[in-house]
Amino acid sequence: MLEENAINREPQRYPKISNDLLRSAHQSGLQEMKIIILVASKLPQNSDEDFDPLTPIYITREDAVRIGFNPSNVARDLRIACSNLRAREVTIPTPLGDKVTGWVYNLLFFKSEVFQKLKEKYPTSKHDEDFINQLRLHNLLETLPFVMKSDENLMARIIMHPDVVPFLVQLKKNYTQVDLLELAKLTDSIYSFRIFLLMMEWKSTGVVHKKIDELRKEFMLQDKYDNAKDLRRRVIDTAIDEINEKTDWQASYTLKKTGRKFTHLELKFK
C-alpha cells in the first residue's frame, strides 16, 4: 500500500484536541483553525498503538468543504490556510514553561488526479521515496503561473510538527471534543469559532467563567476594542448571534464588574 502509514481516512465527527493547544490555536485565523481541527479528526483518537509523529495527513477538497470552506473558493483557501499555518509559530504552555514551535513540519500541494496516477505507478511502500519525489516535483510545478489555472482538485499533504502531534493524538485527559459538523456551520467570524470552542471546552458545566483580560490575550485582542461596548458589539455579540442562529446551541452572556470596570465574562449555554 502506497505510503503505508499515511492518514487518508474520512474525518471523524468528534475529534479531540488538547486544551492547552486549543487555547494556543486561538492565535490563528479562522481557516487555519479549521485545518488544525480537520487534521485532528484524521488522527488516531482512542488507540494505544505506536504512532509516528511524522506520519503524513492528506486533506482533500471534500474534507475542507466538510468543515465549512466555501466550495467556490475551497482550493485557494486551502492553499492559503495551510501555507499560513506552516509559517506560523505556536506557543504551548507546559509544566516546564512555554514551548514555542511550528505547526507544520512539511507541506506539499498537488492535484488529486496526480495522486491517483502516482498510486498506480508506485503501488508498493518500497517505492515511497520515488512517490514523494514525484509529489515534490508536481508541488513545484503547481507554483508556476501557466500551471495554476485550475485548483479544483487540489490536495494537501501535511506533516504536523512533532512537537504539536502529542496534543492532537490519543488523548486521555485535559482535552476538548468538538463536533465537526457544528463547527462547519460557523463561517462569518473568527470570534464565533473561538467562542464556540470555548463553550465546548466547558460543555460539561454549560457555563464559562472567563476573565476579560484572559479572553483578550487568548483571542489576540490586547490592542483592540478597549472599550467594553466595542468588545460586546464587535466580538461577543457577533459570535453569540451566529452561534445561536446556525448551531444547535443557544448561548447568552453577561459582563460582570469589579468596581467600575468590566472584568469578567459569564457565558451560559445549552
Side-chain angles (χ1 to χ4, degrees):
M1 180 180 176
L2 189 59
E3 277 209 284
E4 198 166 33
N5 297 319
I7 302 293
N8 194 28
R9 62 168 69 99
E10 289 288 305
Q12 302 163 79
R13 180 169 176 176
Y14 299 102
K16 300 173 184 176
I17 301 177
S18 157
N19 290 334
D20 287 334
L21 187 68
L22 195 60
R23 296 185 193 112
S24 301
H26 287 310
Q27 302 167 19
S28 305
L30 176 60
Q31 306 291 38
E32 295 166 48
M33 291 183 74
K34 289 187 175 185
I35 293 295
I36 294 165
I37 293 168
L38 187 55
V39 165
S41 76
K42 293 200 168 205
L43 292 174
Q45 298 286 307
N46 301 309
S47 174
D48 292 324
E49 67 189 42
D50 290 337
F51 179 77
D52 182 356
L54 294 179
T55 298
I57 300 119
Y58 285 95
I59 294 179
T60 66
R61 179 185 188 280
E62 291 73 22
D63 293 333
V65 171
R66 187 178 285 113
I67 201 170
F69 278 64
N70 186 331
S72 51
N73 299 318
V74 60
R76 182 201 66 186
D77 292 346
L78 180 60
R79 275 186 186 278
I80 293 172
C82 290
S83 297
N84 286 347
L85 206 57
R86 179 176 54 182
R88 191 181 294 277
E89 287 186 339
V90 58
T91 302
I92 308 171
T94 74
L96 299 178
D98 288 347
K99 174 180 286 189
V100 180
T101 186
W103 282 104
V104 174
Y105 178 75
N106 185 269
L107 175 63
L108 295 174
F109 296 112
F110 44 87
K111 300 290 181 62
S112 57
E113 56 265 31
V114 168
F115 179 75
Q116 293 301 327
K117 288 178 181 177
L118 289 174
K119 280 180 67 175
E120 294 172 4
K121 185 175 180 180
Y122 303 105
T124 63
S125 59
K126 68 181 181 180
H127 295 301
D128 279 358
E129 191 58 38
D130 292 336
F131 171 73
I132 297 305
N133 285 335
Q134 288 296 312
L135 286 185
R136 290 194 184 103
L137 174 62
H138 283 278
N139 182 67
L140 292 172
L141 289 174
E142 279 289 296
T143 65
L144 300 176
F146 64 85
V147 176
M148 287 181 60
K149 57 186 178 182
S150 172
D151 270 353
E152 189 63 24
N153 299 315
L154 188 75
M155 291 179 68
R157 177 184 183 273
I158 300 177
I159 298 178
M160 299 300 286
H161 197 288
D163 287 342
V164 168
V165 170
F167 296 90
L168 293 170
V169 66
Q170 298 170 347
L171 300 173
K172 299 288 193 298
K173 59 182 181 179
N174 299 326
Y175 63 79
T176 295
Q177 192 164 24
V178 298
D179 185 335
L180 212 64
L181 298 185
E182 289 286 86
L183 281 177
K185 300 173 183 177
L186 302 174
T187 58
D188 294 346
S189 168
I190 180 61
Y191 303 121
S192 305
F193 208 77
R194 289 170 174 168
I195 286 181
F196 187 82
L197 291 174
L198 193 61
M199 288 165 52
M200 295 303 96
E201 184 179 345
W202 295 98
K203 184 166 56 177
S204 62
T205 66
V207 181
V208 176
H209 295 282
K210 198 79 172 174
K211 291 182 180 179
I212 291 177
D213 286 346
E214 290 179 356
L215 188 76
R216 288 184 177 280
K217 182 178 180 181
E218 287 182 17
F219 286 12
M220 304 291 286
L221 294 173
Q222 292 96 325
D223 301 323
K224 296 181 179 179
Y225 316 131
D226 291 335
N227 187 290
K229 181 180 178 181
D230 290 335
L231 183 67
R232 283 180 183 268
R233 183 167 58 91
R234 298 293 186 90
V235 177
I236 305 174
D237 286 344
T238 298
I240 297 299
D241 287 348
E242 186 179 12
I243 289 168
N244 289 346
E245 177 187 349
K246 294 183 177 181
T247 75
D248 293 335
W249 295 86
Q250 292 296 302
S252 61
Y253 76 94
T254 55
L255 293 183
K256 297 184 175 294
K257 285 185 174 181
T258 301
R260 295 185 176 181
K261 184 180 179 182
F262 288 104
T263 56
H264 290 76
L265 167 73
E266 182 182 82
L267 173 67
K268 296 182 178 180
F269 56 96
K270 58 183 181 179

